[in-house]
Amino acid sequence: MIKVGDTLPAATLMEFSEVEGNGCSIGPNPVDVTKASTGKTIALFGLPGAYTPTCSAKHVPGYVEKAEELKAAGVDEIWCVSVNDAFVMGAWARDQKTGAKVRMLADGSADFAKATGLTLDLTARGMGLRSNRYSMLVKDGKVAALNVEGPGKFEVSDAATLLAQAKG
């Protein structure tokens, strides 16, 4: 499993961006993790799936709510990564009203989750291989803080915990 001090793995995530007003979409577009994280401080959080109860009720809304405080603490971007396709992540972004606050990034084949070692096998529940629930503070492509949840938990990957780490 990835740990503090490690560099994020070379991977490509996908992002679907919607242009408000004219009904046209942009994407999905590839996001090279290495290039996108170089020279930036990123609050990155991973979760098992779009529209799932805890993810929709607590995880994403917490980061949307704390976005300005995270930016004030030196965070350049907030990334939500989930094993879903870019179209689902785009629709979920619209539903969660993430706007320019949180980048909703798709890890459709779980390549990023596998490369970080942060996978969660939910095959028995009909969901296949997913991402574990976690958060990490990334500085210039390197993990500065990592918070991995235990099975079925939501205690350490929340926005308030990562905000405290960004301030520290």
Side-chain angles (χ1 to χ4, degrees):
M1 182 187 323
I2 198 166
K3 60 189 180 308
V4 171
D6 288 352
T7 300
L8 288 180
T12 301
L13 300 170
M14 297 299 286
E15 184 174 33
F16 178 86
S17 300
E18 195 165 27
V19 177
E20 297 266 339
N22 64 7
C24 294
S25 64
I26 303 170
N29 296 307
V31 176
D32 180 304
V33 170
T34 302
K35 287 180 185 171
S37 64
T38 299
K40 294 179 185 168
T41 297
I42 297 167
L44 188 157
F45 66 105
L47 38 80
Y51 295 103
T52 55
T54 301
C55 304
S56 290
K58 297 177 183 174
H59 216 168
V60 173
Y63 281 91
V64 170
E65 179 184 309
K66 299 263 186 229
E68 294 309 314
E69 290 178 72
L70 283 159
K71 302 253 172 163
V75 170
D76 297 301
E77 294 182 1
I78 303 168
W79 295 3
C80 173
V81 178
S82 183
V83 180
N84 291 104
D85 66 65
F87 298 104
V88 168
M89 291 300 283
W92 197 32
R94 185 171 47 250
D95 181 65
Q96 291 286 311
K97 298 174 179 48
T98 59
K101 294 179 179 182
V102 179
R103 293 182 76 178
M104 304 296 276
L105 302 173
D107 184 20
S109 298
D111 292 337
F112 184 77
K114 291 177 204 170
T116 60
L118 292 166
T119 57
L120 180 64
D121 189 350
L122 294 177
T123 303
R125 296 177 70 190
M127 295 172 67
L129 188 68
R130 295 292 178 131
S131 170
N132 201 344
R133 185 181 307 282
Y134 66 89
S135 67
M136 64 173 76
L137 188 64
V138 178
K139 294 185 178 186
D140 196 24
K142 291 193 185 303
V143 180
L146 177 63
N147 312 294
V148 182
E149 297 287 0
K153 301 288 184 188
F154 181 63
E155 299 169 342
V156 298
S157 65
D158 60 303
T161 299
L162 206 59
L163 176 59
Q165 291 168 331
K167 286 180 176 179

